[in-house]
Amino acid sequence: MKKALITGITGQDGSYLAEFLLQKGYEVHGLMRRSSTEPLIRIQDIVFDGKVTLHMGDLRDPACIQRVIELVSPDEIYNFAAQSDVGISFKCPEEAYSINFEGVRDLVEAAWKHNKDVRFYQASTSEMFGSTNPPQNEKAPFQPVSPYAEAKLKAHQDVVLEYRKKYGMHISSGILFNHESPRRGKHFVTRKITHSLAKVKLGLQTHVTLGNLEAKRDWGYAGDYVEAMWLMLQAETADDYVIATGESRSVRDFVEAAADSLGMKITWEGEGVDEVGKDEHGDVVVKISKNFYRPAEVDYLLGDATKAKEKLGWTPKTTFQELVHMMVASDLKDAKYEQMKKSIE
């Protein structure tokens, strides 16, 4: 039985991958940071059933990393631990650098020293392309425009490529474009949209406030993308792969698709920060604020995953409309539960 260690197992990707690997017959271990909130919400079923073994730790603690790797002795390591909020990285650049680069460096070094045959997956990001013109593939230049992307790129170039070329380590980098799900954090724009509009639909809030409606992203389903990560580590040789749908849509498109799933019709009026989105009753349900604009925006991401399709045999299975509907249905269910609780109180 193969053993896998997943850092950031309590996040969106970590939770889907843990379920995927369990279905493949793996012994799954997860590294998680201490939190005063509810960190197990995404994986509580498999944790409480004893299917996953959790280890407390932090990528900023090299001794802890070494201890966990020696204890688990994994065959495969999937690194999702990160400061993952692009907006926050502008406010806390040192934290982004510490976790997204230095933490990766320490994790890879500890893994390599313990087992030269270990296979390692590094979660890179389409944000590394930054201002590069679309479509973006493995040969496109990297032009990051945020501290988050800069730290991720440094980990990619100085750690992933270095250990692969210099030491022959089986370490692959998944350059994933935006991937969403009902498990996405509510501070990410897609989940913010579906969660907020579901509550607007039920009268639990009046509107949602967003930033740049014209930013374009290649949105896929996280549940599809974890298969690509696993396939990378089953390949004979390590490599870098863009994982994307090959379709790009704007934040405005996402709002309209979410509204449509809720039976709402959005009509836009005004321009810039004065633009608003109104429902079929003429009520303003979408507002714009400069507070939600990034200091430096990535305007247009569109991934070309031809290499992954040809070499790994991977293709996305979930359409954009299916993804949005899935997220809306989940958030509407939660909103109805909240509404029921309020009616009882």
Side-chain angles (χ1 to χ4, degrees):
M1 178 185 293
K2 286 186 179 180
K3 287 192 286 185
L5 174 63
I6 303 173
T7 70
I9 191 171
T10 59
Q12 171 187 252
D13 291 6
S15 67
Y16 279 113
L17 180 65
E19 293 171 352
F20 180 87
L21 294 180
L22 287 171
Q23 292 175 354
K24 292 288 183 181
Y26 279 65
E27 178 182 322
V28 178
H29 295 255
L31 183 71
M32 59 176 286
R33 287 182 299 167
R34 182 185 178 280
S35 173
S36 59
T37 56
E38 297 184 38
L40 302 181
I41 190 68
R42 296 182 178 93
I43 58 171
Q44 57 187 0
D45 291 340
I46 56 177
V47 169
F48 297 154
D49 286 345
K51 297 177 181 177
V52 170
T53 303
L54 296 179
H55 307 269
M56 300 303 296
D58 194 308
L59 287 198
R60 289 171 289 188
D61 187 339
C64 169
I65 292 172
Q66 182 177 343
R67 174 184 60 79
V68 172
I69 287 178
E70 290 177 353
L71 178 65
V72 177
S73 194
D75 300 294
E76 298 174 1
I77 298 176
Y78 297 83
N79 180 41
F80 300 127
Q83 190 286 91
S84 59
D85 192 304
V86 177
I88 294 297
S89 77
F90 285 101
K91 300 176 182 177
C92 306
E94 292 185 3
E95 179 186 33
Y97 184 86
S98 174
I99 300 174
N100 297 356
F101 165 61
E102 293 178 337
V104 177
R105 178 197 62 200
D106 294 341
L107 179 63
V108 171
E109 181 177 1
W112 176 248
K113 285 182 177 179
H114 180 73
N115 177 13
K116 299 298 189 290
D117 293 323
V118 70
R119 297 194 171 197
F120 194 104
Y121 171 83
Q122 167 61 8
S124 292
T125 171
S126 59
E127 290 284 333
M128 298 190 307
F129 291 115
S131 56
T132 300
N133 290 330
Q136 296 98 358
N137 59 27
E138 296 82 2
K139 296 180 180 180
F142 295 122
Q143 300 183 79
V145 297
S146 70
Y148 165 79
E150 289 169 356
K152 281 285 191 176
L153 179 57
K154 189 167 180 62
H156 174 73
Q157 294 177 330
D158 294 3
V159 181
V160 175
L161 300 185
E162 182 74 6
Y163 272 79
R164 185 195 304 156
K165 293 178 180 178
K166 187 174 181 179
Y167 302 111
M169 184 178 185
H170 196 296
I171 180 169
S172 292
S173 175
I175 307 173
L176 271 60
F177 280 63
N178 294 66
H179 44 294
E180 320 298 321
S181 76
R183 301 180 189 179
R184 191 62 143 151
K186 293 176 184 176
H187 58 290
F188 289 94
V189 67
T190 52
R191 184 76 193 289
K192 180 180 180 180
I193 291 168
T194 58
H195 173 74
S196 297
L197 287 183
K199 295 182 75 173
V200 168
K201 177 70 175 180
L202 297 180
L204 296 173
Q205 71 182 59
T206 58
H207 65 277
V208 57
T209 304
L210 303 171
N212 182 11
L213 293 175
E214 308 311 326
K216 291 185 176 181
R217 295 290 184 270
D218 185 326
W219 278 303
Y221 172 47
D224 291 342
Y225 284 28
V226 297
E227 180 188 20
M229 302 169 192
W230 176 75
L231 286 169
M232 290 180 209
L233 297 201
Q234 311 318 304
E236 183 176 348
T237 58
D239 209 339
D240 306 319
Y241 293 92
V242 162
I243 304 300
T245 68
E247 298 179 0
S248 187
R249 291 176 173 81
S250 67
V251 175
R252 186 189 303 275
D253 292 332
F254 201 101
V255 171
E256 292 175 351
D260 184 64
S261 287
L262 288 163
M264 300 168 61
K265 174 67 176 177
I266 300 291
T267 302
W268 303 99
E269 295 181 6
E271 295 182 357
V273 293
D274 296 321
E275 186 173 15
V276 296
K278 294 184 177 181
D279 65 12
E280 58 273 22
H281 307 295
D283 296 325
V284 174
V285 294
V286 181
K287 295 183 179 181
I288 308 300
S289 171
K290 274 290 185 183
N291 293 333
F292 294 108
Y293 277 68
R294 294 181 183 177
E297 180 64 86
V298 175
D299 294 316
Y300 192 178
L301 290 176
L302 174 61
D304 174 10
T306 300
K307 181 178 177 180
K309 293 175 183 177
E310 293 179 348
K311 291 194 172 185
L312 300 178
W314 177 85
T315 56
K317 300 178 178 65
T318 307
T319 68
F320 174 76
Q321 288 77 16
E322 288 169 342
L323 170 63
V324 176
H325 183 73
M326 178 196 313
M327 295 175 67
V328 166
S330 177
D331 280 323
L332 185 61
K333 180 179 177 181
D334 289 345
K336 286 181 177 178
Y337 178 69
E338 182 179 336
Q339 186 182 50
M340 181 183 69
K341 284 175 60 179
K342 286 192 174 185
S343 67
I344 295 174
E345 294 171 355

